[in-house]
PDB file of all heavy atoms in Angstrom:
ATOM      1  N   LYS U 511      89.554 143.996 125.586  1.00 68.00           N
ATOM      2  CA  LYS U 511      88.102 143.840 125.594  1.00 68.00           C
ATOM      3  C   LYS U 511      87.384 145.049 124.997  1.00 68.00           C
ATOM      4  O   LYS U 511      86.183 145.050 124.815  1.00 68.00           O
ATOM      5  CB  LYS U 511      87.614 143.599 127.023  1.00 68.00           C
ATOM      6  CG  LYS U 511      88.287 142.404 127.709  1.00 68.00           C
ATOM      7  CD  LYS U 511      88.087 141.109 126.953  1.00 68.00           C
ATOM      8  CE  LYS U 511      88.724 139.939 127.688  1.00 68.00           C
ATOM      9  NZ  LYS U 511      88.718 138.704 126.887  1.00 68.00           N
ATOM     10  N   ARG U 512      88.114 146.100 124.755  1.00 71.00           N
ATOM     11  CA  ARG U 512      87.518 147.293 124.147  1.00 71.00           C
ATOM     12  C   ARG U 512      88.565 147.905 123.229  1.00 71.00           C
ATOM     13  O   ARG U 512      89.716 147.448 123.202  1.00 71.00           O
ATOM     14  CB  ARG U 512      87.109 148.307 125.222  1.00 71.00           C
ATOM     15  CG  ARG U 512      88.264 148.787 126.099  1.00 71.00           C
ATOM     16  CD  ARG U 512      87.781 149.765 127.146  1.00 71.00           C
ATOM     17  NE  ARG U 512      88.822 150.136 128.095  1.00 71.00           N
ATOM     18  CZ  ARG U 512      89.692 151.115 127.912  1.00 71.00           C
ATOM     19  NH1 ARG U 512      89.673 151.807 126.782  1.00 71.00           N
ATOM     20  NH2 ARG U 512      90.589 151.398 128.833  1.00 71.00           N
ATOM     21  N   GLY U 513      88.177 148.889 122.477  1.00 76.00           N
ATOM     22  CA  GLY U 513      89.101 149.526 121.558  1.00 76.00           C
ATOM     23  C   GLY U 513      90.077 150.443 122.290  1.00 76.00           C
ATOM     24  O   GLY U 513      89.673 151.470 122.829  1.00 76.00           O
ATOM     25  N   TYR U 514      91.340 150.059 122.345  1.00 83.00           N
ATOM     26  CA  TYR U 514      92.342 150.901 123.024  1.00 83.00           C
ATOM     27  C   TYR U 514      92.955 151.923 122.081  1.00 83.00           C
ATOM     28  O   TYR U 514      93.544 152.900 122.523  1.00 83.00           O
ATOM     29  CB  TYR U 514      93.443 150.018 123.628  1.00 83.00           C
ATOM     30  CG  TYR U 514      93.017 149.294 124.882  1.00 83.00           C
ATOM     31  CD1 TYR U 514      92.270 148.124 124.826  1.00 83.00           C
ATOM     32  CD2 TYR U 514      93.346 149.804 126.145  1.00 83.00           C
ATOM     33  CE1 TYR U 514      91.867 147.467 125.968  1.00 83.00           C
ATOM     34  CE2 TYR U 514      92.949 149.154 127.302  1.00 83.00           C
ATOM     35  CZ  TYR U 514      92.205 147.982 127.213  1.00 83.00           C
ATOM     36  OH  TYR U 514      91.806 147.337 128.350  1.00 83.00           O
ATOM     37  N   VAL U 515      92.852 151.650 120.771  1.00 86.00           N
ATOM     38  CA  VAL U 515      93.320 152.604 119.766  1.00 86.00           C
ATOM     39  C   VAL U 515      92.251 152.676 118.680  1.00 86.00           C
ATOM     40  O   VAL U 515      91.478 151.727 118.497  1.00 86.00           O
ATOM     41  CB  VAL U 515      94.675 152.159 119.160  1.00 86.00           C
ATOM     42  CG1 VAL U 515      95.777 152.240 120.202  1.00 86.00           C
ATOM     43  CG2 VAL U 515      94.589 150.747 118.573  1.00 86.00           C
ATOM     44  N   PRO U 516      92.182 153.801 117.976  1.00 84.00           N
ATOM     45  CA  PRO U 516      91.135 153.933 116.954  1.00 84.00           C
ATOM     46  C   PRO U 516      91.169 152.821 115.921  1.00 84.00           C
ATOM     47  O   PRO U 516      90.127 152.323 115.492  1.00 84.00           O
ATOM     48  CB  PRO U 516      91.427 155.299 116.338  1.00 84.00           C
ATOM     49  CG  PRO U 516      92.112 156.057 117.438  1.00 84.00           C
ATOM     50  CD  PRO U 516      92.952 155.038 118.151  1.00 84.00           C
ATOM     51  N   SER U 517      92.378 152.411 115.506  1.00 90.00           N
ATOM     52  CA  SER U 517      92.504 151.319 114.546  1.00 90.00           C
ATOM     53  C   SER U 517      93.944 150.828 114.579  1.00 90.00           C
ATOM     54  O   SER U 517      94.858 151.543 115.017  1.00 90.00           O
ATOM     55  CB  SER U 517      92.153 151.790 113.131  1.00 90.00           C
ATOM     56  OG  SER U 517      93.151 152.680 112.650  1.00 90.00           O
ATOM     57  N   LEU U 518      94.157 149.601 114.125  1.00 91.00           N
ATOM     58  CA  LEU U 518      95.526 149.082 114.072  1.00 91.00           C
ATOM     59  C   LEU U 518      96.357 149.858 113.055  1.00 91.00           C
ATOM     60  O   LEU U 518      97.564 150.019 113.223  1.00 91.00           O
ATOM     61  CB  LEU U 518      95.503 147.591 113.715  1.00 91.00           C
ATOM     62  CG  LEU U 518      94.913 146.665 114.788  1.00 91.00           C
ATOM     63  CD1 LEU U 518      94.965 145.213 114.316  1.00 91.00           C
ATOM     64  CD2 LEU U 518      95.662 146.807 116.115  1.00 91.00           C
ATOM     65  N   ARG U 519      95.709 150.332 112.001  1.00 93.00           N
ATOM     66  CA  ARG U 519      96.435 151.122 111.000  1.00 93.00           C
ATOM     67  C   ARG U 519      96.968 152.408 111.632  1.00 93.00           C
ATOM     68  O   ARG U 519      98.106 152.788 111.396  1.00 93.00           O
ATOM     69  CB  ARG U 519      95.507 151.448 109.825  1.00 93.00           C
ATOM     70  CG  ARG U 519      96.167 152.351 108.784  1.00 93.00           C
ATOM     71  CD  ARG U 519      95.286 152.572 107.581  1.00 93.00           C
ATOM     72  NE  ARG U 519      95.104 151.355 106.819  1.00 93.00           N
ATOM     73  CZ  ARG U 519      94.410 151.294 105.675  1.00 93.00           C
ATOM     74  NH1 ARG U 519      93.859 152.388 105.176  1.00 93.00           N
ATOM     75  NH2 ARG U 519      94.299 150.148 105.034  1.00 93.00           N
ATOM     76  N   GLU U 520      96.152 153.057 112.462  1.00 93.00           N
ATOM     77  CA  GLU U 520      96.621 154.278 113.113  1.00 93.00           C
ATOM     78  C   GLU U 520      97.714 153.957 114.136  1.00 93.00           C
ATOM     79  O   GLU U 520      98.689 154.698 114.279  1.00 93.00           O
ATOM     80  CB  GLU U 520      95.465 154.996 113.805  1.00 93.00           C
ATOM     81  CG  GLU U 520      95.945 156.277 114.512  1.00 93.00           C
ATOM     82  CD  GLU U 520      94.809 157.214 114.839  1.00 93.00           C
ATOM     83  OE1 GLU U 520      93.830 157.225 114.074  1.00 93.00           O
ATOM     84  OE2 GLU U 520      94.900 157.933 115.852  1.00 93.00           O
ATOM     85  N   TYR U 521      97.549 152.843 114.864  1.00 93.00           N
ATOM     86  CA  TYR U 521      98.597 152.450 115.816  1.00 93.00           C
ATOM     87  C   TYR U 521      99.926 152.264 115.077  1.00 93.00           C
ATOM     88  O   TYR U 521     100.974 152.756 115.517  1.00 93.00           O
ATOM     89  CB  TYR U 521      98.216 151.151 116.527  1.00 93.00           C
ATOM     90  CG  TYR U 521      99.298 150.664 117.457  1.00 93.00           C
ATOM     91  CD1 TYR U 521      99.375 151.125 118.764  1.00 93.00           C
ATOM     92  CD2 TYR U 521     100.279 149.782 117.003  1.00 93.00           C
ATOM     93  CE1 TYR U 521     100.391 150.701 119.605  1.00 93.00           C
ATOM     94  CE2 TYR U 521     101.297 149.359 117.836  1.00 93.00           C
ATOM     95  CZ  TYR U 521     101.338 149.823 119.134  1.00 93.00           C
ATOM     96  OH  TYR U 521     102.365 149.415 119.954  1.00 93.00           O
ATOM     97  N   ALA U 522      99.874 151.546 113.956  1.00 94.00           N
ATOM     98  CA  ALA U 522     101.106 151.303 113.195  1.00 94.00           C
ATOM     99  C   ALA U 522     101.699 152.617 112.692  1.00 94.00           C
ATOM    100  O   ALA U 522     102.924 152.786 112.689  1.00 94.00           O
ATOM    101  CB  ALA U 522     100.810 150.365 112.029  1.00 94.00           C
ATOM    102  N   ARG U 523     100.846 153.543 112.308  1.00 95.00           N
ATOM    103  CA  ARG U 523     101.340 154.820 111.777  1.00 95.00           C
ATOM    104  C   ARG U 523     102.045 155.645 112.846  1.00 95.00           C
ATOM    105  O   ARG U 523     103.050 156.303 112.582  1.00 95.00           O
ATOM    106  CB  ARG U 523     100.158 155.617 111.189  1.00 95.00           C
ATOM    107  CG  ARG U 523     100.563 156.945 110.561  1.00 95.00           C
ATOM    108  CD  ARG U 523      99.352 157.640 109.935  1.00 95.00           C
ATOM    109  NE  ARG U 523      98.345 158.018 110.907  1.00 95.00           N
ATOM    110  CZ  ARG U 523      98.421 159.103 111.668  1.00 95.00           C
ATOM    111  NH1 ARG U 523      99.458 159.913 111.561  1.00 95.00           N
ATOM    112  NH2 ARG U 523      97.456 159.388 112.549  1.00 95.00           N
TER     113      ARG U 523
END
Side-chain angles (χ1 to χ4, degrees):
K511 304 302 182 188
R512 59 181 174 86
Y514 285 81
V515 292
S517 69
L518 292 181
R519 176 175 293 183
E520 179 163 329
Y521 177 86
R523 182 177 64 80

